[in-house]
Amino acid sequence: MRKQQSGFTLIELVMVIVILGILAAFALPKFADLSGEAELASARGGLGAVKSSAGIAHAAFLAGGSTDPTIEGATYVMVNGYPGSEDIDVLANLDGFTVVDTSATLATITLTGSSCVFTYTEAAANAAPTFSSVSCP
């Protein structure tokens, strides 16, 4: 009696490798460069922190009778009822961001190690502060 062998032939194994290679070629671009999207998301998170901290400080300013509020043990200087550009980074707890006061009323905020940037402009009389959208050139 003849013993029958079982297993895959060489051609079957080659075809499986070819199919896996084709699938990898289509999947790789989707996973290759997610760092840009992650940087953009982090910068948008920083912008959200700045916006919410400005709103919280404004509420504390109004509740405190229009004086500079003390939030978590620190007193912040307000400009037209909103935080000044010098205090916004501390108030928003912007770890991982670099803040440069590019003028007396404008703070440029950059994600450290990235080119993603947004700005905070102090409130003008009878107006809220303005925020630029996140830019990642």
mmCIF file with all atom_site columns, all heavy atoms in Angstrom, residues 50 54-55 58 61 77-86 88 104-107 119-131:
data_model
loop_
_atom_site.group_PDB
_atom_site.id
_atom_site.type_symbol
_atom_site.label_atom_id
_atom_site.label_alt_id
_atom_site.label_comp_id
_atom_site.label_asym_id
_atom_site.label_entity_id
_atom_site.label_seq_id
_atom_site.pdbx_PDB_ins_code
_atom_site.Cartn_x
_atom_site.Cartn_y
_atom_site.Cartn_z
_atom_site.occupancy
_atom_site.B_iso_or_equiv
_atom_site.pdbx_formal_charge
_atom_site.auth_seq_id
_atom_site.auth_comp_id
_atom_site.auth_asym_id
_atom_site.auth_atom_id
_atom_site.pdbx_PDB_model_num
ATOM 1   N N   . VAL A 1 50  ? -8.122  75.976 26.190 1.00 0.00 ? 50  VAL A N   1
ATOM 2   C CA  . VAL A 1 50  ? -8.015  77.430 26.292 1.00 0.00 ? 50  VAL A CA  1
ATOM 3   C C   . VAL A 1 50  ? -9.407  78.064 26.280 1.00 0.00 ? 50  VAL A C   1
ATOM 4   O O   . VAL A 1 50  ? -9.714  78.958 27.084 1.00 0.00 ? 50  VAL A O   1
ATOM 5   C CB  . VAL A 1 50  ? -7.126  77.994 25.157 1.00 0.00 ? 50  VAL A CB  1
ATOM 6   C CG1 . VAL A 1 50  ? -7.236  79.500 25.063 1.00 0.00 ? 50  VAL A CG1 1
ATOM 7   C CG2 . VAL A 1 50  ? -5.683  77.577 25.378 1.00 0.00 ? 50  VAL A CG2 1
ATOM 8   N N   . ALA A 1 54  ? -11.034 79.991 29.525 1.00 0.00 ? 54  ALA A N   1
ATOM 9   C CA  . ALA A 1 54  ? -11.429 81.401 29.401 1.00 0.00 ? 54  ALA A CA  1
ATOM 10  C C   . ALA A 1 54  ? -12.881 81.587 29.841 1.00 0.00 ? 54  ALA A C   1
ATOM 11  O O   . ALA A 1 54  ? -13.212 82.556 30.530 1.00 0.00 ? 54  ALA A O   1
ATOM 12  C CB  . ALA A 1 54  ? -11.238 81.884 27.963 1.00 0.00 ? 54  ALA A CB  1
ATOM 13  N N   . GLY A 1 55  ? -13.739 80.662 29.478 1.00 0.00 ? 55  GLY A N   1
ATOM 14  C CA  . GLY A 1 55  ? -15.140 80.735 29.889 1.00 0.00 ? 55  GLY A CA  1
ATOM 15  C C   . GLY A 1 55  ? -15.303 80.568 31.391 1.00 0.00 ? 55  GLY A C   1
ATOM 16  O O   . GLY A 1 55  ? -16.101 81.271 32.030 1.00 0.00 ? 55  GLY A O   1
ATOM 17  N N   . HIS A 1 58  ? -14.098 83.700 33.091 1.00 0.00 ? 58  HIS A N   1
ATOM 18  C CA  . HIS A 1 58  ? -15.079 84.778 32.911 1.00 0.00 ? 58  HIS A CA  1
ATOM 19  C C   . HIS A 1 58  ? -16.254 84.591 33.866 1.00 0.00 ? 58  HIS A C   1
ATOM 20  O O   . HIS A 1 58  ? -16.732 85.557 34.471 1.00 0.00 ? 58  HIS A O   1
ATOM 21  C CB  . HIS A 1 58  ? -15.560 84.810 31.456 1.00 0.00 ? 58  HIS A CB  1
ATOM 22  C CG  . HIS A 1 58  ? -16.552 85.886 31.169 1.00 0.00 ? 58  HIS A CG  1
ATOM 23  N ND1 . HIS A 1 58  ? -16.243 87.220 31.257 1.00 0.00 ? 58  HIS A ND1 1
ATOM 24  C CD2 . HIS A 1 58  ? -17.867 85.824 30.818 1.00 0.00 ? 58  HIS A CD2 1
ATOM 25  C CE1 . HIS A 1 58  ? -17.316 87.942 30.962 1.00 0.00 ? 58  HIS A CE1 1
ATOM 26  N NE2 . HIS A 1 58  ? -18.314 87.105 30.699 1.00 0.00 ? 58  HIS A NE2 1
ATOM 27  N N   . PHE A 1 61  ? -15.133 85.578 37.241 1.00 0.00 ? 61  PHE A N   1
ATOM 28  C CA  . PHE A 1 61  ? -15.033 87.034 37.259 1.00 0.00 ? 61  PHE A CA  1
ATOM 29  C C   . PHE A 1 61  ? -16.402 87.657 37.519 1.00 0.00 ? 61  PHE A C   1
ATOM 30  O O   . PHE A 1 61  ? -16.548 88.544 38.355 1.00 0.00 ? 61  PHE A O   1
ATOM 31  C CB  . PHE A 1 61  ? -14.450 87.522 35.928 1.00 0.00 ? 61  PHE A CB  1
ATOM 32  C CG  . PHE A 1 61  ? -14.416 89.010 35.753 1.00 0.00 ? 61  PHE A CG  1
ATOM 33  C CD1 . PHE A 1 61  ? -13.397 89.756 36.345 1.00 0.00 ? 61  PHE A CD1 1
ATOM 34  C CD2 . PHE A 1 61  ? -15.357 89.667 34.977 1.00 0.00 ? 61  PHE A CD2 1
ATOM 35  C CE1 . PHE A 1 61  ? -13.346 91.130 36.170 1.00 0.00 ? 61  PHE A CE1 1
ATOM 36  C CE2 . PHE A 1 61  ? -15.313 91.032 34.799 1.00 0.00 ? 61  PHE A CE2 1
ATOM 37  C CZ  . PHE A 1 61  ? -14.306 91.770 35.397 1.00 0.00 ? 61  PHE A CZ  1
ATOM 38  N N   . VAL A 1 77  ? -5.057  87.774 36.340 1.00 0.00 ? 77  VAL A N   1
ATOM 39  C CA  . VAL A 1 77  ? -5.359  89.120 35.879 1.00 0.00 ? 77  VAL A CA  1
ATOM 40  C C   . VAL A 1 77  ? -6.328  89.034 34.710 1.00 0.00 ? 77  VAL A C   1
ATOM 41  O O   . VAL A 1 77  ? -6.086  88.300 33.747 1.00 0.00 ? 77  VAL A O   1
ATOM 42  C CB  . VAL A 1 77  ? -4.069  89.857 35.450 1.00 0.00 ? 77  VAL A CB  1
ATOM 43  C CG1 . VAL A 1 77  ? -4.378  91.224 34.880 1.00 0.00 ? 77  VAL A CG1 1
ATOM 44  C CG2 . VAL A 1 77  ? -3.107  89.953 36.625 1.00 0.00 ? 77  VAL A CG2 1
ATOM 45  N N   . MET A 1 78  ? -7.417  89.776 34.842 1.00 0.00 ? 78  MET A N   1
ATOM 46  C CA  . MET A 1 78  ? -8.444  89.758 33.794 1.00 0.00 ? 78  MET A CA  1
ATOM 47  C C   . MET A 1 78  ? -8.333  91.023 32.946 1.00 0.00 ? 78  MET A C   1
ATOM 48  O O   . MET A 1 78  ? -8.002  92.097 33.445 1.00 0.00 ? 78  MET A O   1
ATOM 49  C CB  . MET A 1 78  ? -9.826  89.666 34.435 1.00 0.00 ? 78  MET A CB  1
ATOM 50  C CG  . MET A 1 78  ? -9.983  88.471 35.369 1.00 0.00 ? 78  MET A CG  1
ATOM 51  S SD  . MET A 1 78  ? -9.759  86.904 34.551 1.00 0.00 ? 78  MET A SD  1
ATOM 52  C CE  . MET A 1 78  ? -11.389 86.656 33.932 1.00 0.00 ? 78  MET A CE  1
ATOM 53  N N   . VAL A 1 79  ? -8.643  90.863 31.668 1.00 0.00 ? 79  VAL A N   1
ATOM 54  C CA  . VAL A 1 79  ? -8.684  91.978 30.728 1.00 0.00 ? 79  VAL A CA  1
ATOM 55  C C   . VAL A 1 79  ? -10.079 91.978 30.120 1.00 0.00 ? 79  VAL A C   1
ATOM 56  O O   . VAL A 1 79  ? -10.455 91.020 29.439 1.00 0.00 ? 79  VAL A O   1
ATOM 57  C CB  . VAL A 1 79  ? -7.605  91.820 29.627 1.00 0.00 ? 79  VAL A CB  1
ATOM 58  C CG1 . VAL A 1 79  ? -7.722  92.942 28.606 1.00 0.00 ? 79  VAL A CG1 1
ATOM 59  C CG2 . VAL A 1 79  ? -6.228  91.764 30.230 1.00 0.00 ? 79  VAL A CG2 1
ATOM 60  N N   . ASN A 1 80  ? -10.837 93.018 30.425 1.00 0.00 ? 80  ASN A N   1
ATOM 61  C CA  . ASN A 1 80  ? -12.222 93.124 29.961 1.00 0.00 ? 80  ASN A CA  1
ATOM 62  C C   . ASN A 1 80  ? -13.048 91.894 30.351 1.00 0.00 ? 80  ASN A C   1
ATOM 63  O O   . ASN A 1 80  ? -13.899 91.431 29.597 1.00 0.00 ? 80  ASN A O   1
ATOM 64  C CB  . ASN A 1 80  ? -12.284 93.364 28.447 1.00 0.00 ? 80  ASN A CB  1
ATOM 65  C CG  . ASN A 1 80  ? -11.664 94.686 28.058 1.00 0.00 ? 80  ASN A CG  1
ATOM 66  O OD1 . ASN A 1 80  ? -11.901 95.703 28.706 1.00 0.00 ? 80  ASN A OD1 1
ATOM 67  N ND2 . ASN A 1 80  ? -10.836 94.684 27.026 1.00 0.00 ? 80  ASN A ND2 1
ATOM 68  N N   . GLY A 1 81  ? -12.788 91.347 31.532 1.00 0.00 ? 81  GLY A N   1
ATOM 69  C CA  . GLY A 1 81  ? -13.570 90.239 32.052 1.00 0.00 ? 81  GLY A CA  1
ATOM 70  C C   . GLY A 1 81  ? -13.099 88.855 31.644 1.00 0.00 ? 81  GLY A C   1
ATOM 71  O O   . GLY A 1 81  ? -13.716 87.855 32.007 1.00 0.00 ? 81  GLY A O   1
ATOM 72  N N   . TYR A 1 82  ? -12.016 88.771 30.888 1.00 0.00 ? 82  TYR A N   1
ATOM 73  C CA  . TYR A 1 82  ? -11.476 87.480 30.435 1.00 0.00 ? 82  TYR A CA  1
ATOM 74  C C   . TYR A 1 82  ? -9.984  87.436 30.762 1.00 0.00 ? 82  TYR A C   1
ATOM 75  O O   . TYR A 1 82  ? -9.350  88.476 30.956 1.00 0.00 ? 82  TYR A O   1
ATOM 76  C CB  . TYR A 1 82  ? -11.681 87.308 28.926 1.00 0.00 ? 82  TYR A CB  1
ATOM 77  C CG  . TYR A 1 82  ? -13.111 87.067 28.537 1.00 0.00 ? 82  TYR A CG  1
ATOM 78  C CD1 . TYR A 1 82  ? -13.954 88.119 28.217 1.00 0.00 ? 82  TYR A CD1 1
ATOM 79  C CD2 . TYR A 1 82  ? -13.627 85.773 28.492 1.00 0.00 ? 82  TYR A CD2 1
ATOM 80  C CE1 . TYR A 1 82  ? -15.282 87.893 27.867 1.00 0.00 ? 82  TYR A CE1 1
ATOM 81  C CE2 . TYR A 1 82  ? -14.950 85.538 28.145 1.00 0.00 ? 82  TYR A CE2 1
ATOM 82  C CZ  . TYR A 1 82  ? -15.772 86.598 27.835 1.00 0.00 ? 82  TYR A CZ  1
ATOM 83  O OH  . TYR A 1 82  ? -17.077 86.367 27.499 1.00 0.00 ? 82  TYR A OH  1
ATOM 84  N N   . PRO A 1 83  ? -9.393  86.238 30.807 1.00 0.00 ? 83  PRO A N   1
ATOM 85  C CA  . PRO A 1 83  ? -7.965  86.154 31.149 1.00 0.00 ? 83  PRO A CA  1
ATOM 86  C C   . PRO A 1 83  ? -7.072  86.872 30.136 1.00 0.00 ? 83  PRO A C   1
ATOM 87  O O   . PRO A 1 83  ? -7.357  86.882 28.934 1.00 0.00 ? 83  PRO A O   1
ATOM 88  C CB  . PRO A 1 83  ? -7.671  84.652 31.124 1.00 0.00 ? 83  PRO A CB  1
ATOM 89  C CG  . PRO A 1 83  ? -8.972  83.964 31.052 1.00 0.00 ? 83  PRO A CG  1
ATOM 90  C CD  . PRO A 1 83  ? -9.986  84.934 30.578 1.00 0.00 ? 83  PRO A CD  1
ATOM 91  N N   . GLY A 1 84  ? -5.996  87.450 30.663 1.00 0.00 ? 84  GLY A N   1
ATOM 92  C CA  . GLY A 1 84  ? -5.015  88.072 29.792 1.00 0.00 ? 84  GLY A CA  1
ATOM 93  C C   . GLY A 1 84  ? -4.186  87.022 29.072 1.00 0.00 ? 84  GLY A C   1
ATOM 94  O O   . GLY A 1 84  ? -4.148  85.851 29.453 1.00 0.00 ? 84  GLY A O   1
ATOM 95  N N   . SER A 1 85  ? -3.506  87.445 28.027 1.00 0.00 ? 85  SER A N   1
ATOM 96  C CA  . SER A 1 85  ? -2.718  86.494 27.227 1.00 0.00 ? 85  SER A CA  1
ATOM 97  C C   . SER A 1 85  ? -1.540  85.923 28.012 1.00 0.00 ? 85  SER A C   1
ATOM 98  O O   . SER A 1 85  ? -1.042  84.843 27.702 1.00 0.00 ? 85  SER A O   1
ATOM 99  C CB  . SER A 1 85  ? -2.225  87.161 25.940 1.00 0.00 ? 85  SER A CB  1
ATOM 100 O OG  . SER A 1 85  ? -1.368  88.254 26.247 1.00 0.00 ? 85  SER A OG  1
ATOM 101 N N   . GLU A 1 86  ? -1.086  86.629 29.064 1.00 0.00 ? 86  GLU A N   1
ATOM 102 C CA  . GLU A 1 86  ? 0.030   86.130 29.858 1.00 0.00 ? 86  GLU A CA  1
ATOM 103 C C   . GLU A 1 86  ? -0.384  84.975 30.769 1.00 0.00 ? 86  GLU A C   1
ATOM 104 O O   . GLU A 1 86  ? 0.449   84.148 31.142 1.00 0.00 ? 86  GLU A O   1
ATOM 105 C CB  . GLU A 1 86  ? 0.622   87.250 30.739 1.00 0.00 ? 86  GLU A CB  1
ATOM 106 C CG  . GLU A 1 86  ? 1.114   88.452 29.968 1.00 0.00 ? 86  GLU A CG  1
ATOM 107 C CD  . GLU A 1 86  ? -0.009  89.435 29.651 1.00 0.00 ? 86  GLU A CD  1
ATOM 108 O OE1 . GLU A 1 86  ? -1.022  89.462 30.369 1.00 0.00 ? 86  GLU A OE1 1
ATOM 109 O OE2 . GLU A 1 86  ? 0.116   90.154 28.662 1.00 0.00 ? 86  GLU A OE2 1
ATOM 110 N N   . ILE A 1 88  ? -3.174  82.811 30.210 1.00 0.00 ? 88  ILE A N   1
ATOM 111 C CA  . ILE A 1 88  ? -4.041  81.783 29.614 1.00 0.00 ? 88  ILE A CA  1
ATOM 112 C C   . ILE A 1 88  ? -3.385  80.403 29.608 1.00 0.00 ? 88  ILE A C   1
ATOM 113 O O   . ILE A 1 88  ? -4.061  79.390 29.807 1.00 0.00 ? 88  ILE A O   1
ATOM 114 C CB  . ILE A 1 88  ? -4.517  82.185 28.198 1.00 0.00 ? 88  ILE A CB  1
ATOM 115 C CG1 . ILE A 1 88  ? -5.697  81.320 27.775 1.00 0.00 ? 88  ILE A CG1 1
ATOM 116 C CG2 . ILE A 1 88  ? -3.386  82.141 27.194 1.00 0.00 ? 88  ILE A CG2 1
ATOM 117 C CD1 . ILE A 1 88  ? -6.935  81.488 28.606 1.00 0.00 ? 88  ILE A CD1 1
ATOM 118 N N   . ALA A 1 104 ? 1.169   92.539 23.076 1.00 0.00 ? 104 ALA A N   1
ATOM 119 C CA  . ALA A 1 104 ? 0.592   92.761 24.403 1.00 0.00 ? 104 ALA A CA  1
ATOM 120 C C   . ALA A 1 104 ? -0.752  92.058 24.567 1.00 0.00 ? 104 ALA A C   1
ATOM 121 O O   . ALA A 1 104 ? -1.170  91.770 25.677 1.00 0.00 ? 104 ALA A O   1
ATOM 122 C CB  . ALA A 1 104 ? 0.428   94.261 24.630 1.00 0.00 ? 104 ALA A CB  1
ATOM 123 N N   . THR A 1 105 ? -1.414  91.753 23.464 1.00 0.00 ? 105 THR A N   1
ATOM 124 C CA  . THR A 1 105 ? -2.755  91.171 23.557 1.00 0.00 ? 105 THR A CA  1
ATOM 125 C C   . THR A 1 105 ? -2.890  89.824 22.863 1.00 0.00 ? 105 THR A C   1
ATOM 126 O O   . THR A 1 105 ? -3.957  89.231 22.893 1.00 0.00 ? 105 THR A O   1
ATOM 127 C CB  . THR A 1 105 ? -3.790  92.126 22.938 1.00 0.00 ? 105 THR A CB  1
ATOM 128 O OG1 . THR A 1 105 ? -3.482  92.335 21.560 1.00 0.00 ? 105 THR A OG1 1
ATOM 129 C CG2 . THR A 1 105 ? -3.817  93.452 23.666 1.00 0.00 ? 105 THR A CG2 1
ATOM 130 N N   . LEU A 1 106 ? -1.832  89.321 22.257 1.00 0.00 ? 106 LEU A N   1
ATOM 131 C CA  . LEU A 1 106 ? -1.909  88.098 21.464 1.00 0.00 ? 106 LEU A CA  1
ATOM 132 C C   . LEU A 1 106 ? -0.925  87.051 21.982 1.00 0.00 ? 106 LEU A C   1
ATOM 133 O O   . LEU A 1 106 ? 0.249   87.343 22.174 1.00 0.00 ? 106 LEU A O   1
ATOM 134 C CB  . LEU A 1 106 ? -1.598  88.396 19.985 1.00 0.00 ? 106 LEU A CB  1
ATOM 135 C CG  . LEU A 1 106 ? -1.585  87.211 19.032 1.00 0.00 ? 106 LEU A CG  1
ATOM 136 C CD1 . LEU A 1 106 ? -3.009  86.713 18.798 1.00 0.00 ? 106 LEU A CD1 1
ATOM 137 C CD2 . LEU A 1 106 ? -0.938  87.587 17.724 1.00 0.00 ? 106 LEU A CD2 1
ATOM 138 N N   . ALA A 1 107 ? -1.429  85.840 22.197 1.00 0.00 ? 107 ALA A N   1
ATOM 139 C CA  . ALA A 1 107 ? -0.569  84.713 22.579 1.00 0.00 ? 107 ALA A CA  1
ATOM 140 C C   . ALA A 1 107 ? -0.610  83.695 21.455 1.00 0.00 ? 107 ALA A C   1
ATOM 141 O O   . ALA A 1 107 ? -1.691  83.285 21.017 1.00 0.00 ? 107 ALA A O   1
ATOM 142 C CB  . ALA A 1 107 ? -1.043  84.090 23.886 1.00 0.00 ? 107 ALA A CB  1
ATOM 143 N N   . THR A 1 119 ? -3.919  80.780 18.021 1.00 0.00 ? 119 THR A N   1
ATOM 144 C CA  . THR A 1 119 ? -3.686  82.011 18.764 1.00 0.00 ? 119 THR A CA  1
ATOM 145 C C   . THR A 1 119 ? -4.864  82.328 19.682 1.00 0.00 ? 119 THR A C   1
ATOM 146 O O   . THR A 1 119 ? -5.994  81.904 19.443 1.00 0.00 ? 119 THR A O   1
ATOM 147 C CB  . THR A 1 119 ? -3.462  83.207 17.822 1.00 0.00 ? 119 THR A CB  1
ATOM 148 O OG1 . THR A 1 119 ? -4.621  83.386 17.007 1.00 0.00 ? 119 THR A OG1 1
ATOM 149 C CG2 . THR A 1 119 ? -2.239  83.010 16.956 1.00 0.00 ? 119 THR A CG2 1
ATOM 150 N N   . TYR A 1 120 ? -4.550  83.082 20.740 1.00 0.00 ? 120 TYR A N   1
ATOM 151 C CA  . TYR A 1 120 ? -5.529  83.607 21.680 1.00 0.00 ? 120 TYR A CA  1
ATOM 152 C C   . TYR A 1 120 ? -5.343  85.110 21.708 1.00 0.00 ? 120 TYR A C   1
ATOM 153 O O   . TYR A 1 120 ? -4.242  85.600 21.977 1.00 0.00 ? 120 TYR A O   1
ATOM 154 C CB  . TYR A 1 120 ? -5.298  83.012 23.075 1.00 0.00 ? 120 TYR A CB  1
ATOM 155 C CG  . TYR A 1 120 ? -6.122  83.655 24.166 1.00 0.00 ? 120 TYR A CG  1
ATOM 156 C CD1 . TYR A 1 120 ? -7.436  83.263 24.379 1.00 0.00 ? 120 TYR A CD1 1
ATOM 157 C CD2 . TYR A 1 120 ? -5.593  84.635 25.001 1.00 0.00 ? 120 TYR A CD2 1
ATOM 158 C CE1 . TYR A 1 120 ? -8.199  83.838 25.383 1.00 0.00 ? 120 TYR A CE1 1
ATOM 159 C CE2 . TYR A 1 120 ? -6.336  85.215 26.006 1.00 0.00 ? 120 TYR A CE2 1
ATOM 160 C CZ  . TYR A 1 120 ? -7.646  84.812 26.190 1.00 0.00 ? 120 TYR A CZ  1
ATOM 161 O OH  . TYR A 1 120 ? -8.404  85.390 27.181 1.00 0.00 ? 120 TYR A OH  1
ATOM 162 N N   . THR A 1 121 ? -6.393  85.844 21.403 1.00 0.00 ? 121 THR A N   1
ATOM 163 C CA  . THR A 1 121 ? -6.339  87.296 21.446 1.00 0.00 ? 121 THR A CA  1
ATOM 164 C C   . THR A 1 121 ? -7.220  87.769 22.588 1.00 0.00 ? 121 THR A C   1
ATOM 165 O O   . THR A 1 121 ? -8.397  87.380 22.678 1.00 0.00 ? 121 THR A O   1
ATOM 166 C CB  . THR A 1 121 ? -6.820  87.922 20.117 1.00 0.00 ? 121 THR A CB  1
ATOM 167 O OG1 . THR A 1 121 ? -6.060  87.351 19.041 1.00 0.00 ? 121 THR A OG1 1
ATOM 168 C CG2 . THR A 1 121 ? -6.654  89.417 20.119 1.00 0.00 ? 121 THR A CG2 1
ATOM 169 N N   . GLU A 1 122 ? -6.667  88.606 23.462 1.00 0.00 ? 122 GLU A N   1
ATOM 170 C CA  . GLU A 1 122 ? -7.406  89.095 24.625 1.00 0.00 ? 122 GLU A CA  1
ATOM 171 C C   . GLU A 1 122 ? -8.710  89.758 24.203 1.00 0.00 ? 122 GLU A C   1
ATOM 172 O O   . GLU A 1 122 ? -8.844  90.273 23.088 1.00 0.00 ? 122 GLU A O   1
ATOM 173 C CB  . GLU A 1 122 ? -6.564  90.106 25.404 1.00 0.00 ? 122 GLU A CB  1
ATOM 174 C CG  . GLU A 1 122 ? -5.379  89.513 26.101 1.00 0.00 ? 122 GLU A CG  1
ATOM 175 C CD  . GLU A 1 122 ? -4.562  90.550 26.853 1.00 0.00 ? 122 GLU A CD  1
ATOM 176 O OE1 . GLU A 1 122 ? -4.873  91.762 26.768 1.00 0.00 ? 122 GLU A OE1 1
ATOM 177 O OE2 . GLU A 1 122 ? -3.600  90.149 27.522 1.00 0.00 ? 122 GLU A OE2 1
ATOM 178 N N   . ALA A 1 123 ? -9.644  89.768 25.139 1.00 0.00 ? 123 ALA A N   1
ATOM 179 C CA  . ALA A 1 123 ? -10.949 90.371 24.884 1.00 0.00 ? 123 ALA A CA  1
ATOM 180 C C   . ALA A 1 123 ? -10.818 91.879 24.739 1.00 0.00 ? 123 ALA A C   1
ATOM 181 O O   . ALA A 1 123 ? -10.097 92.533 25.486 1.00 0.00 ? 123 ALA A O   1
ATOM 182 C CB  . ALA A 1 123 ? -11.900 90.041 26.032 1.00 0.00 ? 123 ALA A CB  1
ATOM 183 N N   . ALA A 1 124 ? -11.540 92.401 23.757 1.00 0.00 ? 124 ALA A N   1
ATOM 184 C CA  . ALA A 1 124 ? -11.648 93.853 23.608 1.00 0.00 ? 124 ALA A CA  1
ATOM 185 C C   . ALA A 1 124 ? -12.818 94.317 24.467 1.00 0.00 ? 124 ALA A C   1
ATOM 186 O O   . ALA A 1 124 ? -13.568 93.502 25.010 1.00 0.00 ? 124 ALA A O   1
ATOM 187 C CB  . ALA A 1 124 ? -11.882 94.207 22.144 1.00 0.00 ? 124 ALA A CB  1
ATOM 188 N N   . ALA A 1 125 ? -12.996 95.606 24.598 1.00 0.00 ? 125 ALA A N   1
ATOM 189 C CA  . ALA A 1 125 ? -14.086 96.138 25.401 1.00 0.00 ? 125 ALA A CA  1
ATOM 190 C C   . ALA A 1 125 ? -15.421 95.620 24.877 1.00 0.00 ? 125 ALA A C   1
ATOM 191 O O   . ALA A 1 125 ? -15.691 95.655 23.668 1.00 0.00 ? 125 ALA A O   1
ATOM 192 C CB  . ALA A 1 125 ? -14.067 97.662 25.372 1.00 0.00 ? 125 ALA A CB  1
ATOM 193 N N   . ASN A 1 126 ? -16.241 95.097 25.788 1.00 0.00 ? 126 ASN A N   1
ATOM 194 C CA  . ASN A 1 126 ? -17.577 94.576 25.471 1.00 0.00 ? 126 ASN A CA  1
ATOM 195 C C   . ASN A 1 126 ? -17.562 93.447 24.447 1.00 0.00 ? 126 ASN A C   1
ATOM 196 O O   . ASN A 1 126 ? -18.491 93.312 23.655 1.00 0.00 ? 126 ASN A O   1
ATOM 197 C CB  . ASN A 1 126 ? -18.504 95.701 24.990 1.00 0.00 ? 126 ASN A CB  1
ATOM 198 C CG  . ASN A 1 126 ? -18.670 96.774 26.041 1.00 0.00 ? 126 ASN A CG  1
ATOM 199 O OD1 . ASN A 1 126 ? -18.816 96.477 27.218 1.00 0.00 ? 126 ASN A OD1 1
ATOM 200 N ND2 . ASN A 1 126 ? -18.621 98.030 25.628 1.00 0.00 ? 126 ASN A ND2 1
ATOM 201 N N   . ALA A 1 127 ? -16.508 92.654 24.436 1.00 0.00 ? 127 ALA A N   1
ATOM 202 C CA  . ALA A 1 127 ? -16.415 91.525 23.506 1.00 0.00 ? 127 ALA A CA  1
ATOM 203 C C   . ALA A 1 127 ? -15.657 90.385 24.173 1.00 0.00 ? 127 ALA A C   1
ATOM 204 O O   . ALA A 1 127 ? -14.936 90.580 25.137 1.00 0.00 ? 127 ALA A O   1
ATOM 205 C CB  . ALA A 1 127 ? -15.703 91.951 22.215 1.00 0.00 ? 127 ALA A CB  1
ATOM 206 N N   . ALA A 1 128 ? -15.856 89.202 23.645 1.00 0.00 ? 128 ALA A N   1
ATOM 207 C CA  . ALA A 1 128 ? -15.143 88.011 24.148 1.00 0.00 ? 128 ALA A CA  1
ATOM 208 C C   . ALA A 1 128 ? -13.787 87.917 23.457 1.00 0.00 ? 128 ALA A C   1
ATOM 209 O O   . ALA A 1 128 ? -13.556 88.549 22.421 1.00 0.00 ? 128 ALA A O   1
ATOM 210 C CB  . ALA A 1 128 ? -15.972 86.775 23.858 1.00 0.00 ? 128 ALA A CB  1
ATOM 211 N N   . PRO A 1 129 ? -12.883 87.131 24.016 1.00 0.00 ? 129 PRO A N   1
ATOM 212 C CA  . PRO A 1 129 ? -11.600 86.918 23.332 1.00 0.00 ? 129 PRO A CA  1
ATOM 213 C C   . PRO A 1 129 ? -11.809 86.159 22.024 1.00 0.00 ? 129 PRO A C   1
ATOM 214 O O   . PRO A 1 129 ? -12.835 85.514 21.845 1.00 0.00 ? 129 PRO A O   1
ATOM 215 C CB  . PRO A 1 129 ? -10.785 86.098 24.328 1.00 0.00 ? 129 PRO A CB  1
ATOM 216 C CG  . PRO A 1 129 ? -11.780 85.440 25.197 1.00 0.00 ? 129 PRO A CG  1
ATOM 217 C CD  . PRO A 1 129 ? -12.964 86.347 25.254 1.00 0.00 ? 129 PRO A CD  1
ATOM 218 N N   . THR A 1 130 ? -10.841 86.241 21.154 1.00 0.00 ? 130 THR A N   1
ATOM 219 C CA  . THR A 1 130 ? -10.940 85.520 19.890 1.00 0.00 ? 130 THR A CA  1
ATOM 220 C C   . THR A 1 130 ? -9.862  84.445 19.845 1.00 0.00 ? 130 THR A C   1
ATOM 221 O O   . THR A 1 130 ? -8.782  84.600 20.425 1.00 0.00 ? 130 THR A O   1
ATOM 222 C CB  . THR A 1 130 ? -10.800 86.459 18.679 1.00 0.00 ? 130 THR A CB  1
ATOM 223 O OG1 . THR A 1 130 ? -9.545  87.153 18.768 1.00 0.00 ? 130 THR A OG1 1
ATOM 224 C CG2 . THR A 1 130 ? -11.934 87.456 18.621 1.00 0.00 ? 130 THR A CG2 1
ATOM 225 N N   . PHE A 1 131 ? -10.190 83.376 19.152 1.00 0.00 ? 131 PHE A N   1
ATOM 226 C CA  . PHE A 1 131 ? -9.299  82.233 19.021 1.00 0.00 ? 131 PHE A CA  1
ATOM 227 C C   . PHE A 1 131 ? -9.183  81.906 17.531 1.00 0.00 ? 131 PHE A C   1
ATOM 228 O O   . PHE A 1 131 ? -10.202 81.855 16.842 1.00 0.00 ? 131 PHE A O   1
ATOM 229 C CB  . PHE A 1 131 ? -9.880  80.998 19.724 1.00 0.00 ? 131 PHE A CB  1
ATOM 230 C CG  . PHE A 1 131 ? -10.378 81.256 21.117 1.00 0.00 ? 131 PHE A CG  1
ATOM 231 C CD1 . PHE A 1 131 ? -11.674 81.670 21.346 1.00 0.00 ? 131 PHE A CD1 1
ATOM 232 C CD2 . PHE A 1 131 ? -9.534  81.109 22.191 1.00 0.00 ? 131 PHE A CD2 1
ATOM 233 C CE1 . PHE A 1 131 ? -12.139 81.907 22.633 1.00 0.00 ? 131 PHE A CE1 1
ATOM 234 C CE2 . PHE A 1 131 ? -9.979  81.353 23.482 1.00 0.00 ? 131 PHE A CE2 1
ATOM 235 C CZ  . PHE A 1 131 ? -11.291 81.752 23.702 1.00 0.00 ? 131 PHE A CZ  1
#
